[in-house]
Amino acid sequence: MIQMKNVSKIYLNGARALVDVNLKIDKGEFVFLVGPSGAGKSTIIKLFYRDETPTRGQVQINGKNLVRMKDREVPYLRRSIGVIFQDFKLLPNKTVFENVAFALEVIGVSKSEVKTRTRVTLDLVGLAGKEKSFPHELSGGEQQRVCVARAIINNPALLVADEPTGNLDPETAWGIMDLLYNINKRGTTVVMATHARNIVDKMQKRVIAIESGRVARDEEKGGYGYDA
Amino acid sequence: MTLNSTLYVLRETGHSMKRNPWLSIASVLTVMVSLVILGFSVFFLANASNMAKSFESQLEIATFVQSSATPAQVQALQSQIKTMPGVASVTLVTKEQALVDFGKTMGGSQSSLVTDLGGTNPFPDKLTVKATDPKTVEALANKVSALAGVDKVRYGQGYVDKLLEFTQWLRWIGLGVVVAFGIAAIVLISINVKMNVFSRRREIQIMKLVGASNSFVRWPFLIEGLALGLVGGALAAGIVGVGYNWITNYVQSTLTFLPVVQNMLLFRQVTVGLLLVGMAMGAIGSGVSLQKFLRNS
Ligand SMILES: Nc1ncnc2c1ncn2[C@@H]1O[C@H](COP(=O)(O)OP(=O)(O)OP(=O)(O)O)[C@@H](O)[C@H]1O
Ligand SMILES: [Mg+2]
């Protein structure tokens, strides 16, 4: 599913975010990316949906080489990847319904199909009844769920999440994790960067630890690992 | 582009026009001004060249025959000139006719006029030669004056050239003004679109992150530019149409001797042309800002 070979990333300002990273993630896996702040977790995730390109090395998703990929192919890559952003990236002047439907409108799905699929997805994330609300009228957890709904509405083969529980109370955070767990059960590969120790420890999934831009640890059914 | 995307695009276009109405109005007005000038210039030039033509067609070469020539010789000369290439017509005004005409303008009787003029008719026989092409008048006049029996020729030397030169100048000045305003309009539209792109950059970023293609992002802005240009063009077409009608009616009722072009085909061509040029300005204006924006995002 995902393959990174000798990937290094140096940002324009000279920051060395990744150093010679090698990774392989299979279809259907659930993977946590952990590590201290500034380690390079977000950078890895951005490489997946080609928000960034590596300075050296290769990134492959579903056999597609993202380095050699032409700009006009990028939209198609992104349609096959759902992204949950830490800052939600919702449009403030659009309702919950419109924000989620957006991901379908953008790719030209018919109006009636947009309607039914958006309904179903909002139901799935527990936002039925909030369709007409605007983002600023929602709690942080509800906004995060809108973001999840938008990320999964296309039935992506890969779901990447950058600290999706970052600003949420434990109970709401577990609600989001439930969602991701179920989506993964349906066959979607999930990669999630997080600092949430208890979540990582409890889920018993593969854990990849990044430190100073390098893979420091990679274990099946791992724990968060760092001392509190 | 599916129907759904199209509807989406149209909705977005409406939103963005509402966002900064003053800039939209300014863009529309500059388009309008530049196209009004363009439209009137076209009509003005059409009239100028029409006028030049009608003046030119009145241009004739007055050929004065030597006073020693007999009527038979005059007639031979007339038919000789008639066969020359580039000659449309030759009419004879005999010295007697000239005297009559002169008398008419002076009043009084013919016989007393001859007496007053010293007992002889001072007028020579005159052949009025009309050329088929006004540009050949000068060459033709030279040829005619070289013929045997011709005393001298007179024609509107330099007159044609000056008129043509004048319309030529008008053409350049009109073009210059139109281009200047056209550039201003394109710049304003591109600022307009750029501001909308800027105010929606977050939205655009998110659109692209969820997989919108560049063209999908581009359409609303392109259509916005087109709409601005089209509205400007339509206003200009209206102003030029109504204005030109009014002016021609006015001129025809007051300056009846001035020939005025009232050509429905030209009228339609100019109107449609203004709409098209307006849309083109809109498309160029938004295209310029989008090209830059989408390349580095
Ligand atoms: N756009 C950028 N331009 C320049 N440097 C950047 C950029 N994004 C990240 N960096 C740098 O790259 C390094 C890795 O950043 P990254 O965001 O990947 O860390 P992270 O592991 O996600 O941290 P956190 O846990 O705090 O989110 C940091 O040193 C950061 O300052
Ligand atoms: Mg991060």
Side-chain angles (χ1 to χ4, degrees), chain B residues 12-91:
Chain B
E12 288 306 303
T13 307
H15 283 316
S16 89
M17 294 253 241
K18 265 188 260 164
R19 225 164 312 224
N20 33 32
W22 287 111
L23 196 57
S24 300
I25 291 171
S27 311
V28 166
L29 289 184
T30 12
V31 172
M32 188 191 83
V33 169
S34 68
L35 292 183
V36 164
I37 295 172
L38 176 64
F40 276 123
S41 303
V42 169
F43 278 125
F44 194 86
L45 288 172
N47 273 299
S49 74
N50 176 51
M51 220 177 277
K53 251 195 216 110
S54 81
F55 283 148
E56 282 160 5
S57 71
Q58 288 163 20
L59 281 179
E60 37 190 49
I61 305 162
T63 309
F64 299 103
V65 183
Q66 280 168 3
S67 50
S68 59
T70 64
Q73 281 172 323
V74 172
Q75 240 157 42
L77 191 60
Q78 183 180 9
S79 34
Q80 188 187 358
I81 295 174
K82 220 171 234 163
T83 60
M84 290 171 69
V87 173
S89 69
V90 185
T91 46

Side-chain angles (χ1 to χ4, degrees), chain B residues 258-286:
Chain B
L258 272 186
V260 185
V261 178
Q262 272 185 319
N263 181 340
M264 257 336 269
L265 183 66
L266 178 70
F267 201 79
R268 247 177 262 145
Q269 280 170 340
V270 168
T271 316
V272 172
L274 291 184
L275 289 178
L276 290 180
V277 174
M279 287 196 346
M281 292 202 301
I284 295 171
S286 47

Side-chain angles (χ1 to χ4, degrees), chain A residues 11-13 15-17 35-44 46 52 86 162-163 195:
Chain A
Y11 281 105
L12 285 178
N13 64 359
R16 296 167 68 86
S37 190
K41 305 181 293 293
S42 297
T43 302
I44 289 180
K46 283 177 186 162
E52 297 288 351
Q86 185 179 3
D162 198 350
E163 302 189 36
H195 290 289

Side-chain angles (χ1 to χ4, degrees), chain A residues 79-194:
Chain A
R79 289 172 198 182
S80 68
I81 302 176
V83 185
I84 302 172
F85 304 94
Q86 185 179 3
D87 60 352
F88 315 142
K89 292 203 192 297
L90 301 178
L91 294 164
N93 53 350
K94 286 189 193 291
T95 64
V96 167
F97 187 91
E98 289 167 341
N99 262 289
V100 176
F102 192 62
L104 293 179
E105 282 174 332
V106 143
I107 60 176
V109 174
S110 81
K111 205 168 181 173
S112 59
E113 200 184 332
V114 168
K115 226 175 198 164
T116 42
R117 274 169 71 178
T118 306
R119 282 269 141 68
V120 169
T121 312
L122 284 175
D123 258 358
L124 188 70
V125 299
L127 282 176
K130 294 275 183 190
E131 288 92 344
K132 292 203 170 70
S133 304
F134 286 91
H136 66 88
E137 297 167 336
L138 301 177
S139 72
E142 288 167 335
Q143 290 183 41
Q144 188 63 282
R145 274 184 280 165
V146 178
C147 186
V148 173
R150 188 184 59 194
I152 64 174
I153 196 164
N154 275 331
N155 291 319
L158 171 65
L159 187 66
V160 294
D162 198 350
E163 302 189 36
T165 61
N167 303 312
L168 307 179
D169 67 79
E171 200 176 326
T172 320
W174 274 112
I176 298 286
M177 289 318 296
D178 256 2
L179 277 172
L180 297 188
Y181 180 83
N182 286 322
I183 291 158
N184 176 243
K185 268 278 174 66
R186 296 189 322 197
T188 298
T189 311
V190 177
V191 179
M192 167 175 161
T194 185

Side-chain angles (χ1 to χ4, degrees), chain B residues 139-159:
Chain B
L140 192 60
N142 287 337
K143 263 195 254 168
V144 170
S145 73
L147 293 176
V150 173
D151 183 19
K152 57 180 180 189
V153 298
R154 241 181 29 220
Y155 66 99
Q157 243 153 341
Y159 183 66

